[in-house]
Amino acid sequence: DQQVKQNSPSLSVQEGRISILNCDYTNSMFDYFLWYKKYPAEGPTFLISISSIKDKNEDGRFTVFLNKSAKHLSLHIVPSQPGDSAVYFCAASNTGNQFYFGTGTSLTVIP
Amino acid sequence: DTEVTQTPKHLVMGMTNKKSLKCEQHMGHRAMYWYKQKAKKPPELMFVYSYEKLSINESVPSRFSPECPNSSLLNLHLHALQPEDSALYLCASSRRDVENSPLHFGNGTRLTVT
């Protein structure tokens, strides 16, 4: 059973606009959430994370929002750049060493 | 450049072969992981080593045998694999001394079983 879900397999955004990637989870015990970016033929690269005691974390163009009551997190990329085109995975953890991944959203930023 | 190095990048093996995947990190991380990823699927956890001891085995078939010789190295020994085992095998590491530490992945080994 998939505990972390990304319901949008793909997303296209114009360069300079905001990209919003969404992720839902089912396990209320998850307390640490992460976003990874993956290019073809490479491993996932860590982007940004948030612990359950916060509802927002920002790092440059990337902001992650956490809504614990809705069991929902989102990644905002502003402004989007063509180099952001990749597959984005969200992940969640409740023990610190067991991570569950979503199925990924393929982002295309159109120049 | 990734700080987790995996070799080889590609591997083709027959069902009767024995081969090994290797992973190395020099970040001082004391947790190391093997994940398997099939096309258009999320990475699936196989094994976790914590302080060089196997702490999680996600009911992986015995034809996959992990080994952690020291705190920097992680191997995955393969024997009598099936074609459905063809996938991208990812190694990752993380800190154990800090709560909520992210995984750092290598670029993976693309395995094809013929």
Side-chain angles (χ1 to χ4, degrees):
Chain A
D1 186 31
Q2 192 74 18
Q3 297 191 60
V4 180
K5 299 179 185 179
Q6 293 175 256
N7 292 319
S8 298
S10 62
L11 174 68
S12 290
V13 172
Q14 288 289 132
E15 181 178 4
R17 305 295 290 269
I18 184 171
S19 295
I20 300 176
L21 297 99
N22 294 302
C23 179
D24 297 294
Y25 61 95
T26 56
N27 188 339
S28 58
M29 298 301 291
F30 287 146
D31 59 6
Y32 181 49
F33 304 88
L34 311 92
W35 284 95
Y36 284 83
K37 173 180 180 179
K38 186 178 185 304
Y39 293 118
E42 293 184 11
T45 302
F46 169 66
L47 268 180
I48 191 169
S49 65
I50 188 168
S51 75
S52 58
I53 61 172
K54 293 186 172 183
D55 54 19
K56 176 183 174 181
N57 189 25
E58 195 171 350
D59 184 1
R61 296 186 297 116
F62 301 92
T63 303
V64 57
F65 294 92
L66 176 63
N67 182 334
K68 289 185 289 295
S69 60
K71 296 193 183 68
H72 178 83
L73 69 153
S74 61
L75 175 68
H76 293 209
I77 306 173
V78 182
S80 301
Q81 299 173 354
D84 296 329
S85 297
V87 177
Y88 288 78
F89 290 95
C90 65
S93 171
N94 63 341
T95 64
N97 68 350
Q98 200 159 358
F99 294 79
Y100 298 87
F101 285 82
T103 49
T105 296
S106 178
L107 173 66
T108 301
V109 179
I110 304 163
Chain B
D1 284 344
T2 180
E3 294 178 87
V4 177
T5 304
Q6 290 187 243
T7 56
K9 293 185 74 168
H10 300 275
L11 179 62
V12 179
M13 60 185 290
M15 290 189 285
T16 59
N17 291 159
K18 282 186 181 182
K19 296 285 184 183
S20 297
L21 309 185
K22 296 187 182 301
C23 175
E24 188 169 3
Q25 58 87 16
H26 294 289
M27 294 180 282
H29 292 173
R30 302 304 295 275
M32 296 187 77
Y33 308 72
W34 281 115
Y35 279 85
K36 172 182 176 179
Q37 187 176 24
K38 298 270 233 179
K40 300 192 187 305
K41 297 285 189 182
E44 292 178 30
L45 181 64
M46 300 176 71
F47 303 103
V48 181
Y49 274 83
S50 181
Y51 295 102
E52 295 86 68
K53 294 196 186 312
L54 184 64
S55 62
I56 296 176
N57 176 342
E58 289 285 307
S59 303
V60 179
S62 60
R63 57 186 185 269
F64 295 91
S65 175
E67 178 196 19
C68 189
N70 60 54
S71 60
S72 300
L73 294 174
L74 185 67
N75 299 321
L76 186 63
H77 303 296
L78 314 172
H79 175 53
L81 294 194
Q82 304 296 310
E84 59 265 28
D85 296 322
S86 298
L88 180 68
Y89 288 83
L90 292 161
C91 173
S93 69
S94 70
R95 296 178 67 172
R96 292 297 289 136
D97 56 327
V98 171
E99 193 174 337
N100 293 341
S101 174
L103 293 176
H104 295 262
F105 284 92
N107 283 332
T109 293
R110 175 71 61 189
L111 174 68
T112 303
V113 181
T114 60

